Amino acid sequence: MSDTNAPWLIVGLGNPGPGYAANRHNVGFMVADLLAERVGSSFKRAQKTQAQVLEGRIGAPGPSNRRVILAKPMSYMNLSGGPVTALRDFYKVPTANIVAVHDELDIDYGTLRLKLGGGDNGHNGLKSMTKAMGPDYHRVRFGIGRPPGRMQVADFVLKDFSSAERKELDYFVDRAADAVECLVIDGLERAQGTYNS
């Protein structure tokens, strides 16, 4: 069970720079940006951590209110572990209070799965985080589906969402942000029961 007074570190995984902004691989950044909007604050470059960060609170005033640090690592995806570990240490966040929001190839587009711990399933951002601090952090996995035909995985994840996918993208990003809030406020079991589809 996590310490209710400890802050939560919510990490949206992606690649920095405008060329990557609308890529499937950057859906973690999209969810982090929406959460920042909801918190009513904007990201600032954190000194010494190679990340954009904001501090805020989510949840209604009272016992369910949680202190959160939202972060977008500004390293490339395969180096995410360094910035996340630096933030964890700086803000004294227990590993069990870290949430990685990321794209997931093995789940249908728009489907969410929440879990604690596990493997990296070939995801370079998770691979880097797990190497840096072990696997015992939460994941909010945002399904992007498998590449069509013989398209290489690397090409697929670094392409923008298709026009058909974009029609529903805002809704799915909104739902993923709701799932993160539910996880932090109500715990994993409640969030899984509500959002795992």
Side-chain angles (χ1 to χ4, degrees), residues 42-60:
S42 53
F43 285 99
K44 293 178 179 50
R45 191 71 189 241
Q47 297 303 314
K48 300 179 191 164
T49 61
Q50 223 187 344
Q52 288 187 354
V53 179
L54 74 80
E55 293 180 66
R57 302 194 80 84
I58 61 173

Side-chain angles (χ1 to χ4, degrees), residues 71-123:
K72 297 191 295 185
M74 291 288 112
S75 59
Y76 283 95
M77 179 72 87
N78 60 341
L79 300 171
S80 301
V84 175
T85 306
L87 290 166
R88 178 198 65 181
D89 295 348
F90 180 78
Y91 288 103
K92 298 179 173 49
V93 179
T95 303
N97 278 25
I98 296 173
V99 182
V101 186
H102 64 91
D103 58 304
E104 178 64 65
L105 285 159
D106 287 335
I107 304 175
D108 290 340
Y109 174 60
T111 300
L112 294 176
R113 292 266 198 288
L114 287 78
K115 69 175 191 170
L116 174 62
D120 56 55
N121 213 15
H123 191 287

Side-chain angles (χ1 to χ4, degrees), residues 109-188:
Y109 174 60
T111 300
L112 294 176
R113 292 266 198 288
L114 287 78
K115 69 175 191 170
L116 174 62
D120 56 55
N121 213 15
H123 191 287
N124 288 331
L126 297 182
K127 204 175 283 183
S128 178
M129 284 179 62
T130 298
K131 187 177 176 193
M133 60 187 189
D136 300 326
Y137 53 91
H138 288 87
R139 297 102 192 273
V140 174
R141 305 156 72 206
F142 186 110
I144 60 169
R146 301 292 307 182
R150 294 184 177 170
M151 186 189 286
Q152 294 296 309
V153 165
D155 295 334
F156 180 69
V157 299
L158 294 176
K159 277 203 170 14
D160 292 358
F161 285 100
S162 69
S163 53
E165 288 169 333
R166 280 198 298 272
K167 288 177 183 153
E168 294 181 295
L169 183 59
D170 287 350
Y171 167 75
F172 289 139
V173 168
D174 195 65
R175 196 163 180 274
D178 290 347
V180 172
E181 290 182 344
C182 183
L183 167 62
V184 169
I185 295 165
D186 298 319
L188 179 62

Side-chain angles (χ1 to χ4, degrees), residues 12-81:
L13 293 179
N15 285 308
Y20 296 102
N23 288 180
R24 291 182 177 93
H25 221 19
N26 271 41
V27 75
F29 275 16
M30 296 172 199
V31 174
D33 286 337
L34 179 58
L35 287 165
E37 231 174 84
R38 291 181 180 185
V39 168
S41 190
S42 53
F43 285 99
K44 293 178 179 50
R45 191 71 189 241
Q47 297 303 314
K48 300 179 191 164
T49 61
Q50 223 187 344
Q52 288 187 354
V53 179
L54 74 80
E55 293 180 66
R57 302 194 80 84
I58 61 173
S64 69
N65 193 262
R66 299 281 181 268
R67 180 175 166 229
V68 295
I69 296 98
L70 286 174
K72 297 191 295 185
M74 291 288 112
S75 59
Y76 283 95
M77 179 72 87
N78 60 341
L79 300 171
S80 301

